[in-house]
Amino acid sequence: MFINGQWVETGKTYDLINPGTGEILAKVADGGTQEVKLAIAAARDAFPKWAKISAKERGAILKKAEANMLARADEIAHLVMQENGKPLEEAKQEVLFSSGYLSWFAEEGRRAYGETIPSPFGHKRLMTLLQPVGVVGAITPWNFPANMITRKIAPALAAGCTVVLKPADTTPLTALAIAQALHDAGTPPGVFNIVTAKDPRPVSAEFLADPVVRMIGFTGSIGVGKMLMEQSAKQLKKLSLELGGNAPVLVFDDADLHQAVERVAAIKFMRVGGESCICANRIYVQEKIYKTFVAKFVEKVKSYKVGPGHKPGVQIGPLITQAARERVDQLVQQTKAQGGKILLGGHPLTEGDCAKGFFYAPTVIEGTQDDWPICQNEIFGPVANLLSFSTEEEVLQRANHSNYGLASYVFTRDLARTMRVTEALQYGFVGVNDGEGYTHEIPIGGFKESGIGREGGREGLREYMEVKSILTNIL
Ligand code: NAD
């Protein structure tokens, strides 16, 4: 663990498993109440000084941390690949992209402008200041072990907050490498702390109970997000919740078919093999092109190479755990039993390179219905669910029929339709003719039960700042 600028061990450890080989990768310090109390106290003590230095000085440290991450990109990518399972090249891209949040927010911190507000009185002056919220308790998932951390802690640190992070139990090593990059960049002790733990509950219980922690920044499942919101009501803590998604993809018959097939397949399979909150979950294709689209899509998916992340040419790695693989398989078998037609895959992979890890065959299913579990829940695995539709009005109604509201996608070459559809989709993100997702510059976050608040973009910084209003009577 990393607490108050020091590497900390506990008597207790847990085994970290490499999901590509099923082997023990490391023994990780198993923290609990005692360690998180120490980390919160360190963050509390470091806060006044960190909040007071200029945004430019904080930014300089964050930029150095970015340079440190880039200098060690291969090594960190290796950690991401080993603990998460994703292919090495994809891991490398994640490390490069995630480090970019450090410099984006280093710069944004310098633009945390307040306002001078026209006063209704001649003798009074009105202005606002933006100030850091305070100590932040951050909790992150395993699917993007680097990106989910920098997207959260870079704005918090740039704003002047101090942070205690609990990374996912399955991906702590990447988090510790980021701590090293920040430490080497000159981040003062206590500003950024990490408590690793097998069981997250004692850590989050302390975040919730200690009034020093003014904000909880969480990325993960809707269930845990709701629990944190409920529990944080006791102290009215500020919350940022980045939760699950059930992304619809709308492919209209005027789309560039080849481009649509390539990009939809990428949105589904090329982001941690489908274990991503913005992955295509329901792929709606217009009737006229449905059959051709399906044939080309299946061919594309057949071409994907599955295996351990270190093998050259591998495009899809294992699922994160055996339990995750079982959950995906149960969903597929349930869909089959309900009448869904499996066009490709539909089973675990257990032979050759895939014998030891938690691999699942890239799967394509059609003939499902909107109220089935596969359409109502996040699939979170390498399973594409294809549905057909007739009209724009119909597909919008079906796409919006969900409690989720994170990402959505539309493929069309009609500008007027693009405008109508992007405005009508009840989602925090709409990708138009795109298969890659967001950038640092654009905020990302959910409508409905997909969350509260935004990460990235200009908005990401504001999440970690309070607005102070100052009224001065000049008489
Ligand atoms: P999860 O909610 O189980 O775990 C996420 C984090 O919360 C982990 O650090 C975990 O240890 C911790 N956690 C789990 N139970 C907890 C509890 N009872 N108290 C406190 N902390 C707890 O989610 P997951 O399965 O690891 O991650 C996948 C989920 O995250 C999916 O729903 C996915 O869509 C979502 N996600 C959302 C975004 C986004 O930007 N909106 C990004 C990535 C992942």
Side-chain angles (χ1 to χ4, degrees):
M1 282 176 265
F2 187 72
I3 300 175
N4 206 14
Q6 313 244 319
W7 296 104
V8 176
E9 283 181 26
T10 50
K12 247 172 90 188
T13 59
Y14 70 92
D15 292 339
L16 182 65
I17 307 294
N18 177 334
T21 63
E23 285 160 7
I24 296 174
L25 174 62
K27 292 211 175 280
V28 179
D30 193 2
T33 309
Q34 199 186 338
E35 291 76 21
V36 74
K37 276 182 189 289
L38 285 174
I40 293 172
R44 177 199 61 207
D45 294 347
F47 175 67
K49 210 166 159 197
W50 182 247
K52 224 170 191 164
I53 66 168
S54 72
K56 190 172 176 184
E57 285 170 273
R58 286 194 296 267
I61 293 175
L62 294 181
K63 284 186 188 172
K64 264 193 216 158
E66 179 193 36
N68 293 342
M69 276 186 78
L70 291 174
R72 295 176 55 205
D74 286 331
E75 189 190 324
I76 302 174
H78 214 79
L79 292 177
V80 171
M81 182 267 287
Q82 284 182 309
E83 60 182 4
N84 169 280
K86 67 178 71 177
L88 188 55
E89 182 49 35
E90 192 184 332
K92 179 82 180 279
Q93 291 311 317
E94 181 188 340
V95 173
L96 298 180
F97 182 75
S98 65
S99 66
Y101 275 118
L102 293 162
S103 56
W104 168 259
F105 282 111
E107 290 298 331
E108 278 304 290
R110 297 173 67 188
R111 292 186 278 271
Y113 304 129
E115 280 186 314
T116 308
I117 298 157
S119 169
F121 306 106
H123 65 292
K124 292 187 185 186
R125 298 290 176 267
L126 311 179
M127 61 182 271
T128 59
L129 283 182
L130 296 185
Q131 294 189 316
V133 171
V135 172
V136 176
I139 302 176
T140 51
W142 45 266
N143 55 352
F144 294 89
N147 201 41
M148 293 301 104
I149 292 177
T150 56
R151 204 173 77 180
K152 203 177 288 305
I153 64 155
L157 297 176
C161 296
T162 54
V163 177
V164 179
L165 168 73
K166 192 217 73 68
D169 62 314
T170 39
T171 55
L173 304 183
T174 311
L176 295 171
I178 293 172
Q180 183 76 60
L182 279 160
H183 181 58
D184 294 346
T187 309
V191 167
F192 180 55
N193 308 275
I194 294 188
V195 175
T196 52
K198 179 74 186 155
D199 181 355
R201 289 166 300 180
V203 179
S204 63
E206 210 48 44
F207 284 172
L208 291 162
D210 192 335
V212 164
V213 177
R214 284 312 315 148
M215 174 162 171
I216 296 186
F218 174 75
T219 302
S221 57
I222 291 180
V224 176
K226 284 183 177 173
M227 180 280 288
L228 292 172
M229 187 167 182
E230 231 178 279
Q231 301 281 320
S232 62
K234 288 179 192 145
Q235 294 178 2
L236 281 183
K237 290 181 197 284
K238 208 163 186 287
L239 279 171
S240 155
L241 300 176
E242 293 290 326
L243 309 178
N246 178 2
V249 181
L250 282 49
V251 185
F252 287 94
D253 58 18
D254 60 36
D256 175 325
L257 193 64
H258 174 72
Q259 192 184 72
V261 168
E262 293 287 318
R263 294 181 185 175
V264 175
I267 303 168
K268 176 71 247 182
F269 293 97
M270 293 294 101
R271 298 181 69 84
V272 217
E275 293 174 303
S276 156
C277 54
I278 64 166
C279 267
N281 222 55
R282 294 168 288 156
I283 302 167
Y284 293 103
V285 183
Q286 204 159 12
E287 276 166 358
K288 203 168 118 197
I289 56 162
Y290 181 78
K291 279 209 165 100
T292 323
F293 182 96
V294 172
K296 287 179 185 288
F297 189 82
V298 168
E299 280 315 301
K300 177 72 199 173
V301 180
K302 266 187 199 164
S303 75
Y304 288 142
K305 190 170 167 195
V306 184
H310 65 274
K311 291 262 172 175
V314 161
Q315 292 159 292
I316 300 178
L319 281 102
I320 187 72
T321 55
Q322 170 67 8
R325 175 164 75 173
E326 279 168 15
R327 190 193 52 74
V328 168
D329 193 44
Q330 273 167 15
L331 187 61
V332 169
Q333 300 321 321
Q334 179 186 28
T335 306
K336 199 170 155 186
Q338 284 178 298
K341 193 169 157 202
I342 311 252
L343 301 178
L344 190 70
H347 53 84
L349 291 174
T350 52
E351 286 172 9
D353 280 348
C354 298
K356 290 203 213 138
F358 314 128
F359 296 91
Y360 202 81
T363 298
V364 182
I365 301 183
E366 69 169 356
T368 63
Q369 291 180 21
D370 289 335
D371 58 350
W372 291 4
I374 194 163
C375 293
Q376 288 298 314
N377 303 307
E378 264 187 309
I379 298 172
F380 237 61
V383 179
N385 173 21
L386 300 175
L387 306 104
S388 74
F389 72 93
S390 154
T391 66
E392 181 181 311
E393 197 189 5
E394 171 210 331
V395 76
L396 280 171
Q397 194 270 331
R398 291 169 69 188
N400 286 334
H401 178 62
S402 171
N403 292 337
Y404 295 84
L406 188 59
S408 57
Y409 303 87
V410 52
F411 287 82
T412 176
R413 281 182 289 191
D414 180 330
L415 180 62
R417 168 174 281 151
T418 304
M419 292 304 182
R420 286 194 303 271
V421 170
T422 52
E423 284 172 21
L425 282 166
Q426 295 160 3
Y427 290 81
F429 176 86
V430 189
V432 181
N433 296 327
D434 186 65
E436 286 168 11
Y438 55 88
T439 69
H440 304 122
E441 294 79 3
I442 195 168
I444 182 108
F447 283 18
K448 299 184 187 168
E449 295 190 11
S450 286
I452 295 176
R454 293 293 177 270
E455 290 193 334
R458 210 169 27 168
E459 287 80 355
L461 187 79
R462 302 288 166 119
E463 296 292 323
Y464 294 90
M465 304 198 92
E466 293 279 20
V467 179
K468 180 176 283 177
S469 301
I470 302 173
L471 183 154
T472 308
N473 189 324
I474 59 171
L475 284 186

